[in-house]
Amino acid sequence: MTEDLKTQYDALYQEYQDVMYKSAWRLGWSFFFVLVGLLPMMYIFVWLAGPKTWEHTFFHAPKVMWIAAPLNLGIVVLLLSSLYRKNLELDATKQNYLARLRALKTQLPSEPRPISNQLVERDWDTFQDDGSPGL
């Protein structure tokens, strides 16, 4: 019974680690691609407006840029809110796994603490190197 609970706990813990590892990497790469994806979008809008229009001031911007700027901002907000929602889902998954692991761990018998077999170290403050052999 105890061995069965221990193997069940270890399997669930391994599954938790795998899910968290894959999900965290997926979320991180998604965030990276959202931010890096802004660069091509900006270049597309510059190409649509034309390279000469950037020489003018803000108030001389073409009508395409007045449309492109809110569209670009809307896309960024949409993508970031999607990432935030995925982060909340990952946090809920994590809390679910941790609750299941905690429930299994309370059923396991407590393991005795291992006794430390450390060697007694020399007291280096009182050590004198007198050059005698045998040290």
Side-chain angles (χ1 to χ4, degrees), residues 32-49:
F32 174 77
F33 285 125
V34 164
L35 293 181
V36 171
L38 298 177
L39 294 174
M41 201 170 1
M42 181 183 69
Y43 289 129
I44 289 170
F45 290 140
V46 169
W47 178 76
L48 285 172

Side-chain angles (χ1 to χ4, degrees), residues 11-84:
L12 185 63
Y13 184 69
Q14 184 63 38
E15 180 184 342
Y16 163 73
Q17 285 183 326
D18 291 341
V19 167
M20 287 294 112
Y21 177 80
K22 290 175 185 173
S23 299
W25 271 104
R26 192 176 312 117
L27 192 64
W29 278 111
S30 297
F31 186 74
F32 174 77
F33 285 125
V34 164
L35 293 181
V36 171
L38 298 177
L39 294 174
M41 201 170 1
M42 181 183 69
Y43 289 129
I44 289 170
F45 290 140
V46 169
W47 178 76
L48 285 172
K52 295 287 184 184
T53 57
W54 293 107
E55 297 171 2
H56 299 299
T57 62
F58 176 73
F59 295 107
H60 292 99
K63 291 176 178 55
V64 173
M65 291 312 294
W66 287 105
I67 296 169
L71 179 66
N72 194 7
L73 181 63
I75 291 171
V76 170
V77 168
L78 179 73
L79 291 174
L80 287 178
S81 66
S82 171
L83 286 175
Y84 181 70

